[in-house]
Amino acid sequence: MNEHVNGVDPRVRRTRQLLQQALLDLMQEKRFASITVHDIAERATLNRATFYAHFEDKYNLLDSIIRGQFQKEVVSKLPPDSRWGVNTLRVLIGAVFDFLRKVQSQWKPTDTQLGPLFERIVQEELAKILASWLKQVPISGMGRWVPAGTVASVMSWAMFGAAAQWIHGAKTISAEQMVNQVLIVITEGVGRLIPASEFP
């Protein structure tokens, strides 16, 4: 997004919302690849110059939609001052499952080419939340073996990957059961599956 745009101004917020809604509406009618900036601006009853004052291109606009919707999903379930803990992790994992379910029901199946963009954005947002929580955890006397950023990245991919596999799979267990399984793996690791004697 262009730096001169002030996201706090109500007029700016309204314009951005009009453009976001226009793209969402158009994605119900046709594939993302065939949607142009002109289509989006026309649907929002704005001109192309206004579009470019807020977004670099349609991918940047879609990025803002995905991030905004995911952040809204998380905020609806967790207070902003949430901290690292088993309960907050469970809620965050559940939010990922709920978000992917909503997205799957809203987006056209022909837009599967957006998968990598979608995955990257959700993983980045998850990693930010996890990293902020991990930075608040006191370091033990032995020090931290792995940087918080690396831990957050691995955990975010684990959460997203498990949720995506469950969404697209046969769903032999409920979402809640899957959330609990992901939570166990994240909090207790493979030690629950592999005997300690097998670790080097």
Side-chain angles (χ1 to χ4, degrees):
M1 188 182 91
N2 295 337
E3 293 299 319
H4 69 277
V5 174
N6 178 1
V8 178
D9 185 324
R11 291 170 299 174
V12 170
R13 209 165 31 238
R14 175 161 166 64
T15 301
R16 290 172 63 84
Q17 287 169 350
L18 284 170
L19 291 166
Q20 290 170 338
Q21 191 57 55
L23 178 55
L24 288 172
D25 291 346
L26 286 164
M27 287 175 68
Q28 292 300 311
E29 300 167 15
K30 53 186 178 178
R31 290 176 49 237
F32 180 77
S34 64
I35 298 170
T36 66
V37 168
H38 174 77
D39 295 335
I40 299 165
E42 186 176 68
R43 179 64 62 96
T45 63
L46 299 166
N47 59 46
R48 284 168 49 108
T50 301
F51 177 96
Y52 287 117
H54 294 269
F55 299 101
E56 294 170 12
D57 54 28
K58 67 181 185 177
Y59 292 95
N60 184 235
L61 171 58
L62 182 60
D63 182 295
S64 75
I65 292 169
I66 297 168
R67 285 183 201 280
Q69 288 184 349
F70 182 70
Q71 290 165 0
K72 187 175 175 183
E73 183 73 34
V74 171
V75 167
S76 74
K77 293 178 167 43
L78 282 168
D81 60 347
S82 295
R83 294 175 139 336
W84 175 263
V86 172
N87 290 334
T88 51
L89 270 176
R90 185 190 314 278
V91 173
L92 182 60
I93 297 165
V96 176
F97 276 74
D98 290 344
F99 181 65
L100 292 188
R101 267 194 294 222
K102 288 176 186 172
V103 167
Q104 186 187 41
S105 67
Q106 291 172 353
W107 288 20
K108 293 172 78 66
T110 53
D111 279 334
T112 52
Q113 76 270 19
L114 298 178
L117 173 69
F118 180 81
E119 289 171 11
R120 178 183 58 78
I121 293 167
V122 175
Q123 183 273 328
E124 285 175 2
E125 290 299 313
L126 265 175
K128 274 191 234 171
I129 294 165
L130 291 165
S132 72
W133 288 354
L134 289 166
K135 287 175 185 169
Q136 298 168 9
V137 175
I139 299 173
S140 69
M142 294 173 59
R144 192 172 270 143
W145 293 350
V146 181
T150 302
V151 175
S153 179
V154 170
M155 289 173 59
S156 63
W157 277 116
M159 290 178 186
F160 180 86
Q165 185 175 8
W166 184 85
I167 290 290
H168 299 298
K171 297 183 184 64
T172 54
I173 61 173
S174 71
E176 186 177 342
Q177 289 171 311
M178 191 65 184
V179 166
N180 287 331
Q181 288 183 9
V182 174
L183 181 67
I184 289 167
V185 171
I186 287 174
T187 58
E188 301 182 36
V190 294
R192 285 289 292 262
L193 303 172
I194 302 172
S197 60
E198 294 188 25
F199 285 104

